[in-house]
Amino acid sequence: TLDGFLAHEVQTIVPEAVSGEKDAVNADGKIDPQGIDQSKLVPLLTKALQEQQATIEALTARITALEGS
């Protein structure tokens, strides 16, 4: 089992991370697969995690205050 991303799905969100075209074929009729530069996704994923962590911490503080702990 491999974990990863589908290039054509990533392309709609972070087009600069994807090279090639979906379902492309070369002159010989062979598949010309898309590629993903995953390093371009890392900053976006890191920022999303930071935002989620801030939300978690704010909600945890709110729950603690409401519970009077």
Side-chain angles (χ1 to χ4, degrees), residues 49-66:
L49 286 170
Q50 290 170 335
E51 291 171 355
Q52 287 182 338
Q53 187 60 36
T55 300
I56 291 167
E57 290 171 3
L59 291 171
T60 300
R62 187 172 171 196
I63 290 169
T64 300
L66 288 170

Side-chain angles (χ1 to χ4, degrees), residues 2 10 12-13 18 23 27 36 38 46-47 51 68:
L2 296 173
V10 171
T12 62
I13 302 164
V18 178
D23 300 328
I36 298 177
Q38 294 185 15
T46 300
K47 180 63 176 172
E51 291 171 355

Side-chain angles (χ1 to χ4, degrees), residues 6-64:
L6 297 175
H8 67 273
E9 292 178 358
V10 171
Q11 192 169 34
T12 62
I13 302 164
V14 189
E16 64 272 16
V18 178
S19 60
E21 295 298 323
K22 182 179 185 298
D23 300 328
V25 292
N26 63 22
D28 297 330
K30 295 182 182 178
I31 295 172
D32 188 10
Q34 287 181 295
I36 298 177
D37 181 352
Q38 294 185 15
S39 68
K40 292 183 178 177
L41 301 178
V42 172
L44 299 172
L45 295 171
T46 300
K47 180 63 176 172
L49 286 170
Q50 290 170 335
E51 291 171 355
Q52 287 182 338
Q53 187 60 36
T55 300
I56 291 167
E57 290 171 3
L59 291 171
T60 300
R62 187 172 171 196
I63 290 169
T64 300

